[in-house]
Amino acid sequence: MTAALPRVDSARLMELLSASLAAYYGDFTVAAADENLTASQGKTLNVLRRGPASMSTLATTLTCDASNMTGIVDRLEKRGLVRREPSASDRRVKNVVLTAEGERVIDVIRGNMHRTLAGLDRLDEDERAALGALLERVFTPQPAAARA
């Protein structure tokens, strides 16, 4: 028989999310610095690991000014970690694409996030599945029909 879990209010969940994000980004920042990248450069590679994105999408996703995003991408491009290419749907738009070297570097960063990985390793398969499902449910945008 499984014991009932204690009720956790939204304020406590917000505290736990804040603490986990602080630990994650602290870990991420150290791992990115080990690859001679700023946290913003690392986050850009992380976003691009999901697929190409326009400069404006990157700026919105990373909540930074478009001019700042240009500087970040310029520095990543100079290191051969990303490249710009015309959008297939709108030639006026440039998409930023992760290069093979950029993929390697973000994979190294993720692999060197020791504190985060150690925390996740404490979960068994069922707990990992539950956490994954909950994170998807909370943070993945739902279609309009699902919200109704």
Side-chain angles (χ1 to χ4, degrees):
M1 181 176 196
T2 305
L5 295 174
R7 178 156 165 55
V8 180
D9 67 10
S10 293
R12 178 65 181 147
L13 289 174
M14 296 286 281
E15 289 172 23
L16 290 168
L17 281 171
S18 177
S20 64
L21 287 171
Y24 174 89
Y25 280 116
D27 203 14
F28 184 88
T29 299
V30 169
D34 287 345
E35 294 301 310
N36 297 311
L37 294 172
T38 65
S40 294
Q41 290 169 333
K43 288 178 192 177
T44 301
L45 295 180
N46 209 32
V47 169
L48 292 172
R49 193 69 172 96
R50 295 179 225 145
S54 69
M55 295 288 285
S56 62
T57 298
L58 284 172
T60 300
T61 302
L62 297 168
T63 60
C64 70
D65 187 76
S67 62
N68 191 32
M69 195 74 251
T70 299
I72 291 167
V73 170
D74 285 347
R75 288 184 288 284
L76 291 171
E77 192 172 39
K78 199 173 283 188
R79 285 195 46 190
L81 304 178
V82 302
R83 69 177 180 277
R84 290 177 173 101
E85 56 184 44
S87 167
S89 60
D90 186 346
R91 291 290 203 191
R92 297 169 298 176
V93 174
K94 294 286 187 189
N95 283 331
V96 182
V97 179
L98 201 58
T99 64
E101 178 64 7
E103 287 181 31
R104 185 195 69 75
V105 168
I106 193 57
D107 289 347
V108 167
I109 290 169
R110 288 176 176 179
N112 287 332
M113 294 177 64
H114 304 296
R115 182 175 178 191
T116 301
L117 292 170
L120 293 173
D121 285 346
R122 287 194 295 270
L123 302 176
D124 65 30
E125 270 193 54
D126 289 340
E127 291 168 329
R128 291 170 80 91
L131 178 60
L134 289 170
L135 291 171
E136 287 276 344
R137 185 172 164 198
V138 172
F139 294 108
T140 301
Q142 301 296 308
R147 286 180 272 170

